[in-house]
Amino acid sequence: MATQATFRIWRGDPSGGKFQDFVTPVDEGMVVLDAVHRVQAEQAPDLAVRWNCKAGKCGSCSAEINGMPKLMCMTRLSNLNLEMPVIIEPMHAFPVIRDLVTDVSWNFEVKKTIRKFKPRSPDAPDGAWRMQQADVERVQEFRKCIECFLCQDVCHVLRDHHKQDEFIGPRYLVYAAALEMHPLDTEDRVSDLKKKHNIGYCNITTCCRQVCPESITITENAIIPLKERVVDRFFDPLKQLFNII
Amino acid sequence: MAAPDVVWKGGRFGSTSRPDRWWISPSLVFLGFGAFIVYATWAAFQNGYYTYGPYISPFYSPEIFGSSPHALLGGKPHWFPSFLPFSPALFILWIPGGFRLTCYYYRGAYYKAFWADPPACAVGEPRKVYLGERSFPLILQNFHRNFLRLSYLVWAFLVYDAVRAFFFPDGFGIGVGTIVLVINVVLLAGYIFGCHAFRHLVGGSLRQISDYPARQKLYECVSCLNGQHKKWAWASLFWVGFSDIYVRLCSMGIWHDWRLL
């Protein structure tokens, strides 16, 4: 492993910015966040970077490393080509606050637009419900989400086409799937998914699944099943006829 | 929800900070899928060399109208417009073609490879306008499951063809072509029974699948196949093309069909 590396870090604010190179020593076992902290400690004390757990569980240090959305704390330097500068940028799909820190508050506003969990009546007089493991397994995968918003960042509908005012993005399709597939839930979100959240914008690039640090099978287990629910309701007269009969 | 104002707007086609060779995957899809489309279109219009002994090319099966002994309803129908080129494949190939065209895996792959929408993850696109699959024509992708239903019928005929490939004029036997057609139906089964739409229909739509033990088991099997859907899709695409080539070359006398039994 190289003893030092160049980190090309984007510096700027909402009005714009530029890349700045920092050469810093690197050690065995370091991750990108370690290198950024070293740069911050030794060369650029005003470098803004958001981080918290350093264990891939808080979703704070989301950034773009060599052009791909990743968690800085989970990207090992040993997996990068240190012969070339390591390019570190803030997420492109969200407004920059400063340097590597972005404003992801749009996501929390989107979450409010999704119909809440509405459980059926309790199964037992004491107010308890009974669920089978087989019924909650699908949903448990979605509960792994750490809300790092890397999937939102890589989604080209948000990133390139800036459809944030029409499309909720993969993170909230996963959230909607977790509710729609919940064995106790009784709410109907299918019409919202088609008309309000515009699931039709998703063209199944699978980029969201590829960048997920929790390895959630976003496309196949969340988005496509939701698309199929929309098909059930709006595009399958045969099934509707069968249901009537 | 108002769109937030971001720094990165108006990215150029191909703009990215990715140093890897991101263009390899879409290029391979373009070449692979493109080669198949060109060959399949050419083969479909040949109207010849599609049977050999007990074998029939999967491009031409089921042969509804045609001149071979495999034809179900006789020769070219009199009502068929004379100005159109006739081929038995044209009656059937739109079903598997439509199925693959609307397949969730292929959609993601060919949007990248043929339409650069996007060219690859986190790579700039050539167009500013984007409608997705929510308006014509791509809203028609939602009819995938109808092609799926028809594809099961076609697959059943291909199974029949594979069984029939064991019965030569001189009795039961196994030729290389028999094995080719059997592998074809196995690979196609892996592909169509692992379909996302099928997964939804057998159990994915249920909130409490444990109430239906048989469907739960089926859902688990389909999910298992679905996890490798991409591999099944490519393997079956390659093999169905190869099956046609095999029957065609045997029929033309270029290849000899070895009898193993």
Side-chain angles (χ1 to χ4, degrees):
Chain A
M1 187 171 167
T3 55
Q4 66 174 27
T6 302
F7 294 88
R8 186 163 290 167
I9 301 175
W10 193 88
R11 308 289 311 270
D13 56 31
S15 61
K18 60 181 182 181
F19 285 101
Q20 189 177 346
D21 283 0
F22 298 95
V23 179
T24 190
V26 293
D27 303 315
E28 196 77 32
M30 278 178 72
V31 294
V32 169
L33 185 59
D34 293 326
V36 170
H37 278 160
R38 186 167 277 179
V39 167
Q40 192 184 46
E42 297 173 357
Q43 300 179 54
D46 60 339
L47 174 65
V49 55
R50 182 189 286 132
W51 66 285
N52 198 349
C53 75
K54 238 186 122 184
K57 289 295 167 195
C58 73
S60 302
C61 63
S62 300
E64 298 193 9
I65 299 164
N66 283 343
M68 281 299 281
K70 291 178 192 288
L71 292 180
M72 286 190 279
C73 70
M74 298 302 286
T75 307
R76 290 183 167 275
L77 294 186
S78 56
N79 291 337
L80 302 174
N81 178 11
L82 299 182
E83 301 297 314
M84 298 166 61
V86 176
I87 301 168
I88 308 172
E89 300 164 84
M91 291 191 285
H92 287 204
F94 302 110
V96 169
I97 295 174
R98 186 183 161 90
D99 300 338
L100 300 178
V101 180
T102 50
D103 176 5
V104 294
S105 59
W106 170 82
N107 292 285
F108 306 120
E109 296 304 315
V110 170
K111 194 171 193 173
K112 293 175 190 169
T113 68
I114 297 170
R115 289 173 194 261
K116 302 289 180 281
F117 181 60
K118 187 174 154 188
R120 66 174 187 238
S121 304
D123 297 332
D126 64 355
W129 286 275
R130 301 282 182 269
M131 289 188 289
Q132 298 299 312
Q133 180 61 32
D135 297 326
V136 292
E137 261 168 10
R138 283 188 301 178
V139 177
Q140 282 176 329
E141 180 189 11
F142 306 142
R143 298 295 293 271
K144 291 194 298 180
C145 177
I146 58 173
E147 297 207 317
C148 60
F149 304 122
L150 293 177
C151 57
Q152 303 284 71
D153 182 43
V154 81
C155 174
H156 74 124
V157 182
L158 304 174
R159 179 191 183 89
D160 293 303
H161 299 293
H162 311 291
K163 297 283 187 189
Q164 281 91 341
D165 51 345
E166 298 175 71
F167 181 58
I168 59 174
R171 160 58 194 137
Y172 292 105
L173 291 174
V174 168
Y175 180 66
L179 294 168
E180 271 298 300
M181 296 179 189
H182 198 289
L184 300 185
D185 185 67
T186 58
E187 187 59 275
D188 182 357
R189 299 172 190 83
V190 175
S191 290
D192 280 357
L193 283 166
K194 179 178 184 286
K195 296 169 184 170
K196 187 174 161 190
H197 303 319
N198 285 304
I199 191 172
Y201 270 129
C202 170
N203 68 343
I204 325 151
T205 63
T206 70
C207 294
C208 49
R209 186 243 290 151
Q210 291 173 40
V211 302
C212 179
E214 285 293 320
S215 302
I216 300 171
T217 319
I218 298 173
T219 318
E220 289 79 3
N221 288 352
I223 298 178
I224 292 176
L226 291 181
K227 277 180 170 268
E228 285 296 308
R229 281 165 167 75
V230 170
V231 172
D232 280 343
R233 179 77 55 87
F234 297 100
F235 299 102
D236 189 0
L238 204 62
K239 182 161 186 180
Q240 286 160 11
L241 186 68
F242 183 76
N243 288 342
I244 291 169
I245 295 169
Chain B
M1 195 61 55
D5 194 24
V6 296
V7 172
W8 285 271
K9 277 183 174 170
R12 288 170 292 104
F13 175 41
S15 63
T16 182
S17 299
R18 290 178 61 172
D20 62 326
R21 287 179 284 183
W22 56 264
W23 43 269
I24 288 181
S25 176
S27 301
L28 290 176
V29 170
F30 182 85
L31 290 173
F33 211 30
F36 182 84
I37 291 168
V38 169
Y39 175 75
T41 306
W42 174 82
F45 281 98
Q46 293 311 297
N47 191 21
Y49 301 113
Y50 58 87
T51 64
Y52 180 73
Y55 309 147
I56 180 168
S57 160
F59 284 4
Y60 285 75
S61 179
E63 185 182 5
I64 300 172
F65 300 105
S67 54
S68 89
H70 295 265
L72 300 173
L73 301 177
K76 179 182 173 182
H78 67 276
W79 47 261
F80 193 83
S82 57
F83 60 90
L84 288 178
F86 175 81
S87 170
L90 302 180
F91 288 94
I92 208 69
L93 217 50
W94 60 274
I95 296 174
F99 179 67
R100 288 193 189 261
L101 196 68
T102 57
C103 163
Y104 283 105
Y105 162 67
Y106 282 122
R107 275 145 72 177
Y110 70 69
Y111 287 142
K112 286 179 186 162
F114 285 79
W115 202 241
D117 208 3
C121 302
V123 176
E125 299 182 22
R127 270 165 252 99
K128 299 297 167 213
V129 177
Y130 180 74
L131 301 173
E133 296 183 341
R134 55 192 286 281
S135 58
F136 187 81
L138 296 183
I139 199 168
L140 298 177
Q141 304 279 28
N142 288 305
F143 293 100
H144 178 55
R145 68 172 62 164
N146 296 303
F147 285 111
L148 171 73
R149 288 165 176 147
L150 293 170
S151 293
Y152 287 133
L153 286 176
V154 174
W155 180 79
F157 276 101
L158 295 181
V159 171
Y160 171 75
D161 293 339
V163 172
R164 199 171 162 180
F166 285 92
F167 297 94
F168 292 81
D170 58 344
F172 182 85
I174 298 175
V176 173
T178 313
I179 294 170
V180 167
L181 294 184
V182 168
I183 292 174
N184 184 48
V185 292
V186 170
L187 293 176
L188 284 174
Y191 175 51
I192 63 176
F193 288 102
C195 166
H196 295 88
F198 186 57
R199 186 179 182 225
H200 175 78
L201 291 169
V202 298
S205 58
L206 300 170
R207 282 189 196 248
Q208 295 201 86
I209 199 168
S210 61
D211 291 347
Y212 307 88
R215 289 179 72 176
Q216 183 184 345
K217 198 71 195 164
L218 192 56
Y219 177 76
E220 287 165 5
C221 293
V222 174
S223 296
C224 185
L225 284 174
N226 182 260
Q228 303 296 324
H229 199 50
K230 174 182 173 180
K231 290 177 184 167
W232 287 112
W234 280 108
S236 61
L237 186 81
F238 170 78
W239 203 265
V240 78
F242 175 73
S243 300
D244 179 82
I245 291 171
Y246 186 85
V247 174
R248 186 171 298 281
L249 294 184
C250 286
S251 176
M252 294 170 78
I254 297 171
W255 279 1
H256 176 69
D257 180 52
W258 293 96
R259 282 287 291 273
L260 307 174
L261 187 68

